[in-house]
Amino acid sequence: MLKRTLLAAALAALPSPAIAQDAAPNMTAEQRLDELDKRITRLEDMNQVEKLQRIYGYFVDKGQWTQLSELFADDATLEIGGKGIFLGKKRVLEYMHTAFGPDGAKEGLLVNHMQFQPIVDISPDGKTAWVRSRAFVMSIGGWGLPLYEDEFTKQDGVWKFSRESGPFTMYTSWKGWGHDALNNTWPDKFDPPPDLPPTTVYLTYPAYYIVPFHYPNPVTGKPFKVEPVGAYQAPPGTKEQEESRKVGQLANGTQPIAEPPKD
Amino acid sequence: MSARMSLALAMLLGLSSTPALAQDNAKLEARIAAYRHRVELLEDQNAIENLQATYGYYFDKGLWDQAADLFTKDGSFEYGQRGVYIGTDHIRRAMLLFGPQGLAAGHLNNHMQLQAVITIADDGLSAKARWQGMIMLARPGGNGIWGVGIYENQYLKQNGVWKISRLHFYVTAKTDYDLGWLKSAIPMEGESALFPPDAPPTEVYRAYPGAYIPPYDYKNPVTGKSLADIPEPPDSVVGRK
């Protein structure tokens, strides 16, 4: 959390492009071109990172786990839903193959993870990037909404995932979120077990969890901390963590939604 | 970038034309040219994103005349298994197979243009892009329909204007709004007898429950390796093993 706040502060301290342009009237032409190069590179980097997140989605859609794992840096981490953290590119691939089966699209399967609404930021040194975005899941099982706060690293000129963090907002059957919702996942829900426990424990819809923002408010420029971060949200190892596995959960893993209040 | 913009850039940078500085200026000019090219590629990407989004907004509302105008003169249009229509006149007529010019009452024809992966050729004159195409359909007397597919399109820049040179929409799944995928899989339309296409479908495939991977136009962005050899899943109906 502290790390995230510091990153947000670093982003807030970035000079806006307009300021950079007017900063030093006595700069040489070379220096001005250096500044221009930085700004163009930043735009190119933003596009490339956005593309990477979208390409990740297209690989998920068709079960291309080997290609997907290649998008990760060797020491990248992955945390999806409440499953816990997987360390390193090899474990990312193991997670996908064990949990979702071998590479390839399969007859009768639809698992579209459409990648929408990205907010991309690049670090001042141009070596790290962050994306907040969402997946809109349209699958044979129903609808789903993961949210991403991902981190990327530029190694030898190539952007890669260094951290994928995809907490769930809502999963429901085809009957819809007015009818039922699926509980969040947890470390031993399915194989393989994670390398580390979840960074935070939370329930998905009808409870909620506000994923911390990597960026400051774009208008005020102030970093902010959301309080409270959600209903049924607690650090790992707490009593709430144990209880969260069971709250509202039926034997089939679903979490029925209460009837709406009647007039 | 226009001549006016590059002149403005030269003024901004305080470039001099004094002979003593000619060599320095040549170096600076080379850098400006390189950066101008990179900015142009960024502008191209935005232009293509707007072009495809515009196609979607036109198509949603049955504005076939306007949609057809977005294509190059010899551009092609291919939707699912309907076959390939070539040239703006044929494209306009092919779109009439979806309904009259101007969406009829009680119809919904939303074709969302999402998740762009745009790759522009180094010369900035052609481009390819993959898009996620979510669909919401309705017609009087019928239930709502959810659908989804993939666009793999090509574009050309002609006289400074980006146009669609090849639109290929791979419908991959359609279902009844209430029933959902486990109970309803709506097959694709085939070639029209009323206005047959200029060429048969470039790829024969089945939508859901069949599985098919529309070929990727781009390489893996990290390994740089082609994705052309990703195997297609078997399909007993199409006869693919």
Side-chain angles (χ1 to χ4, degrees):
Chain A
M1 194 56 201
L2 175 65
K3 195 181 161 200
R4 280 201 178 129
T5 311
L6 288 174
L7 289 174
L11 282 174
L14 272 177
S16 75
I19 294 171
Q21 183 187 308
D22 301 335
N26 54 355
M27 284 197 312
T28 66
E30 286 282 353
Q31 285 167 333
R32 288 176 196 211
L33 281 170
D34 289 345
E35 286 295 322
L36 201 56
D37 187 12
K38 269 190 199 167
R39 289 167 62 189
I40 297 171
T41 302
R42 185 171 161 274
L43 290 168
E44 291 168 342
D45 286 344
M46 287 174 82
N47 280 357
Q48 187 57 29
V49 167
E50 207 170 79
K51 252 164 104 166
L52 201 57
Q53 182 73 42
R54 290 169 175 170
I55 286 172
Y56 166 89
Y58 285 129
F59 283 151
V60 175
D61 293 354
K62 303 298 181 193
Q64 295 302 320
W65 311 124
T66 303
Q67 294 289 347
L68 178 147
S69 72
E70 296 285 3
L71 304 179
F72 287 73
D74 289 341
D75 59 351
T77 64
L78 174 128
E79 181 178 15
I80 295 176
K83 181 80 180 119
I85 303 174
F86 291 82
L87 302 175
K89 183 169 147 179
K90 284 182 185 164
R91 287 283 284 157
V92 169
L93 184 57
E94 192 188 332
Y95 169 77
M96 300 291 174
H97 275 160
T98 308
F100 311 120
D103 287 352
K106 288 163 201 70
E107 186 167 349
L109 192 67
L110 183 74
V111 288
N112 267 21
H113 281 57
M114 299 181 271
Q115 305 288 316
F116 299 158
Q117 210 178 334
I119 292 181
V120 189
D121 285 291
I122 310 287
S123 66
D125 68 5
K127 289 177 184 164
T128 308
W130 300 272
V131 167
R132 188 185 184 91
S133 66
R134 73 189 340 147
F136 183 42
V137 178
M138 189 192 239
S139 77
I140 48 170
W143 305 100
L145 284 176
L147 194 129
Y148 299 103
E149 268 287 355
D150 293 343
E151 186 185 88
F152 301 82
T153 180
K154 197 178 191 180
Q155 296 177 343
D156 300 325
V158 178
W159 284 102
K160 302 174 188 179
F161 278 87
S162 56
R163 184 196 74 221
E164 186 192 314
S165 168
F168 295 157
T169 302
M170 182 278 294
Y171 269 86
T172 178
S173 76
W174 194 260
K175 287 178 180 166
W177 50 91
H179 182 270
D180 62 59
L182 211 64
N183 241 355
N184 197 8
T185 52
W186 56 92
D188 53 352
K189 189 184 179 187
F190 53 87
D191 282 336
D195 296 309
L196 292 171
T199 47
T200 185
V201 175
Y202 59 93
L203 286 186
T204 54
Y205 171 84
Y208 71 93
Y209 167 53
I210 303 175
V211 184
F213 295 77
H214 77 259
Y215 54 92
N217 180 303
V219 173
T220 66
K222 288 180 192 161
F224 66 97
K225 203 176 158 187
V226 182
E227 295 283 6
V229 288
Y232 302 105
Q233 186 270 345
T238 56
K239 190 159 68 76
E240 287 83 353
Q241 178 186 12
E242 285 306 308
E243 284 175 357
S244 74
R245 296 191 189 188
K246 294 161 194 152
V247 176
Q249 190 189 327
L250 302 180
N252 66 2
T254 62
Q255 181 179 293
I257 309 299
E259 287 286 308
K262 294 188 172 73
D263 293 331
Chain B
M1 197 184 291
S2 70
R4 199 183 59 189
M5 265 181 87
S6 62
L7 179 64
L9 192 60
M11 287 169 68
L12 169 78
L13 296 165
L15 296 186
S16 160
S17 57
T18 313
L21 294 172
Q23 203 178 351
D24 283 350
N25 277 359
K27 267 165 76 182
L28 292 176
E29 287 289 355
R31 284 187 76 182
I32 290 171
Y35 295 171
R36 187 169 56 205
H37 182 62
R38 286 165 65 194
V39 170
E40 260 172 16
L41 292 179
L42 289 166
E43 290 171 341
D44 288 339
Q45 178 157 341
N46 282 353
I48 289 164
E49 208 160 339
N50 284 355
L51 174 66
Q52 187 65 36
T54 300
Y55 166 84
Y57 288 128
Y58 288 163
F59 201 84
D60 290 352
K61 296 294 183 281
L63 302 174
W64 316 130
D65 289 345
Q66 291 79 356
D69 284 344
L70 302 177
F71 287 74
T72 57
K73 217 173 169 189
D74 57 352
S76 68
F77 170 78
E78 183 174 8
Y79 187 110
Q81 292 291 291
R82 290 167 179 258
V84 187
Y85 292 90
I86 299 165
T88 42
D89 287 343
H90 282 198
I91 292 172
R92 192 173 284 116
R93 279 177 65 193
M95 287 178 178
L96 284 169
L97 296 170
F98 291 80
Q101 166 79 15
L103 192 65
H107 285 250
L108 187 71
N109 191 46
N110 264 25
H111 283 67
M112 295 180 249
Q113 312 290 318
L114 308 162
Q115 203 180 338
V117 174
I118 300 169
T119 311
I120 297 162
D122 286 337
D123 65 7
L125 294 176
S126 67
K128 295 179 177 180
R130 191 177 185 90
W131 304 78
Q132 186 80 255
M134 202 159 52
I135 308 171
M136 298 164 91
L137 304 174
R139 56 182 56 220
N143 202 9
I145 289 173
W146 278 107
V148 72
I150 292 287
Y151 293 86
E152 269 291 350
N153 296 347
Q154 295 179 14
Y155 308 85
L156 285 175
K157 195 179 192 179
Q158 295 178 337
N159 298 324
V161 179
W162 282 99
K163 298 175 188 172
I164 302 169
S165 58
R166 180 175 184 265
L167 184 141
H168 191 167
F169 183 43
Y170 298 80
V171 178
T172 51
K174 267 161 87 176
T175 191
D176 177 272
Y177 180 94
D178 289 315
L179 295 174
W181 311 106
L182 295 178
K183 296 175 186 165
S184 155
I186 301 171
M188 286 183 282
E189 294 84 356
E191 296 177 40
S192 169
L194 286 173
F195 181 46
D198 297 300
T202 49
E203 289 153 64
V204 175
Y205 72 97
R206 204 157 52 105
Y208 176 84
Y212 185 70
I213 305 174
Y216 306 85
D217 70 74
Y218 49 82
K219 295 176 173 134
N220 183 304
V222 172
T223 64
K225 286 183 190 154
S226 164
L227 301 175
D229 56 353
I230 287 182
E232 286 295 347
D235 191 309
S236 50
V237 177
V238 174
R240 195 173 52 235
K241 288 177 185 169

